Amino acid sequence: MTAIDSPEVARPPRPDMFSNARLIGDQLFLSGLHAGDGAGGVLGDGSTYDQARQTFIKIRHLVEAAGGTMDDLVTLRLYLTDIGEKAEIGRARAEFFSGDFPCSTLVEVSALVEPGLTVEIEAQGIIGSASLR
């Protein structure tokens, strides 16, 4: 098992809390990521669309650090504080995936880890699987 890091994605505040990503063989597991800037703020303009986009950028950095592409992702779990904004997540998702999109679950939650956050996404993939399509 290998921890995956990217200089573009802030590590958890304490090393004993969790890992952003782990690679076991060719299987990649990503913790829930969000558009937090690591200092209590939100990256981008704060809209649900931009938070989803900023989160997918972080995911892409970690997937690429593991040697993969976004199309290697198999499953997404998305947490949204307002289900009425689901189209905005879909709009952002369409910028990062091609062909068949990953399997996906979308759940509305009452709050996320920091005020102002509206989207959190966790992902799993198999590095190299995009080439098998």
Side-chain angles (χ1 to χ4, degrees):
M1 182 170 10
T2 304
I4 301 298
D5 290 306
S6 167
E8 305 296 327
V9 181
R11 291 183 176 182
R14 290 191 340 254
D16 61 340
M17 289 180 76
F18 60 90
S19 296
N20 281 334
R22 290 286 179 124
L23 187 63
I24 304 169
D26 58 0
Q27 294 182 53
L28 180 65
F29 301 87
L30 283 82
S31 291
L33 297 167
H34 52 70
D37 65 4
V42 177
L43 297 170
D45 66 18
S47 68
T48 295
Y49 160 75
D50 202 42
Q51 286 194 40
R53 196 175 144 292
Q54 296 292 334
T55 304
F56 281 124
I57 289 170
K58 288 182 177 183
I59 289 169
R60 183 176 61 204
H61 286 305
L62 290 167
V63 170
E64 289 175 353
T69 69
M70 290 295 278
D71 288 331
D72 288 328
L73 293 178
V74 177
T75 302
L76 300 173
R77 281 175 292 287
L78 303 102
Y79 304 93
L80 182 61
T81 58
D82 178 359
I83 203 74
E85 295 282 316
K86 67 183 177 184
E88 296 303 297
I89 289 180
R91 184 164 68 107
R93 183 181 356 207
E95 296 176 22
F96 292 87
F97 298 96
S98 60
D100 290 335
F101 283 24
C103 299
S104 183
T105 299
L106 175 63
V107 177
E108 182 179 47
V109 296
S110 61
L112 294 171
V113 69
E114 294 177 17
L117 293 175
T118 62
V119 178
E120 185 167 329
I121 304 170
E122 41 179 320
Q124 290 177 281
I126 300 174
I127 302 301
S129 64
S131 65
L132 302 175
R133 294 184 191 176

